[in-house]
Amino acid sequence: MFSYLESVDRYLLLCLNQTHHAVWDAFFYGITHEVWGCLFYAWPLYSMAKKLDRKSFWLGIVALLGLLLLTDQVTSGLVKPGVRRLRPCCDPNLQQWVHVVGTYRGSYGFFSAHAANGFGVATFLFLVLRAYGPSGYLPLGWAALVSYGRVYGGVHYPLDVVCGALSGLVCGWLIYRGYDRWVLHKS
């Protein structure tokens, strides 16, 4: 069963990775860098600042920082060193067919910290902002785009991204539940 799943994962990677073009290469290389993510999240954070009182906003920022620490430690500190699955761009059996966009550190890719961080933050912001209009949905689209960019760039298999996204969704939901309980609905 695992070998079948692995072969499907490789097949999907090669299908998605081989659609490269110089314009898309530049685009996906750019969006997977943290600078653009920080700029993109400015709008939802601004919305959060406008909708919440000062204390709730700043405690939300603290919750987001804690969330990023959690998702990053789960992926890079626990799962990647434990599983030790090579990135497609580092796999000697696959390197010759993978189109790599940019340069990346680290040999291991399961599961994607970009996907976990992105979907963690997106889930938290969505849950906080969902009652206030569409600004809560934007981070979910951004996280999906960045996650796809990791496969497009040849540094993650689709399963790396899916598992990272699921991890981020769970972590984001857990942090939101605590934030909602102790900050937003504090009696």
Side-chain angles (χ1 to χ4, degrees):
M1 175 67 173
F2 183 73
S3 62
Y4 173 74
L5 188 59
E6 192 172 38
S7 66
V8 169
D9 205 22
R10 284 184 178 168
Y11 174 77
L12 288 173
L13 164 81
L14 292 173
C15 287
L16 297 171
N17 178 256
Q18 296 305 311
T19 60
H20 57 87
H21 184 276
V23 173
W24 289 118
D25 287 0
F27 175 75
F28 283 114
Y29 181 74
I31 66 160
T32 60
H33 282 76
E34 290 80 8
V35 172
W36 290 108
C38 291
L39 290 174
F40 180 82
Y41 288 116
W43 176 255
L45 290 174
Y46 174 76
S47 295
M48 204 168 112
K50 293 299 254 179
K51 307 299 182 197
L52 302 176
D53 62 76
R54 176 180 259 163
K55 181 180 177 186
S56 296
F57 171 75
W58 286 110
L59 288 172
I61 296 299
V62 170
L64 280 169
L65 293 173
L67 172 61
L68 285 170
L69 182 64
L70 175 64
T71 55
D72 201 57
Q73 286 306 303
V74 166
T75 56
S76 299
L78 184 65
V79 178
K80 283 181 185 181
V83 175
R84 300 173 60 127
R85 182 183 191 197
L86 291 175
R87 294 177 184 271
C89 60
C90 297
D91 185 343
N93 298 321
L94 209 55
Q95 282 177 326
Q96 62 191 1
W97 292 293
V98 175
H99 174 73
V100 180
V101 178
T103 57
Y104 296 94
R105 300 181 311 254
S107 299
Y108 304 124
F110 185 82
F111 41 76
S112 170
H114 275 79
N117 293 340
F119 275 96
V121 169
T123 300
F124 181 85
L125 289 173
F126 170 75
L127 292 170
V128 169
L129 296 172
R130 66 182 170 203
Y132 302 111
S135 57
Y137 291 92
L138 295 174
L140 291 168
W142 181 259
L145 192 61
V146 168
S147 296
Y148 173 77
R150 304 302 285 168
V151 176
Y152 176 91
V155 294
H156 282 293
Y157 291 98
L159 190 59
D160 299 349
V161 168
V162 169
C163 290
L166 290 173
S167 166
L169 288 166
V170 169
C171 290
W173 181 80
L174 288 172
I175 296 293
Y176 170 77
R177 293 292 297 157
Y179 175 75
D180 183 49
R181 181 176 209 179
W182 288 299
V183 176
L184 297 179
H185 291 105
K186 189 173 182 180
S187 312

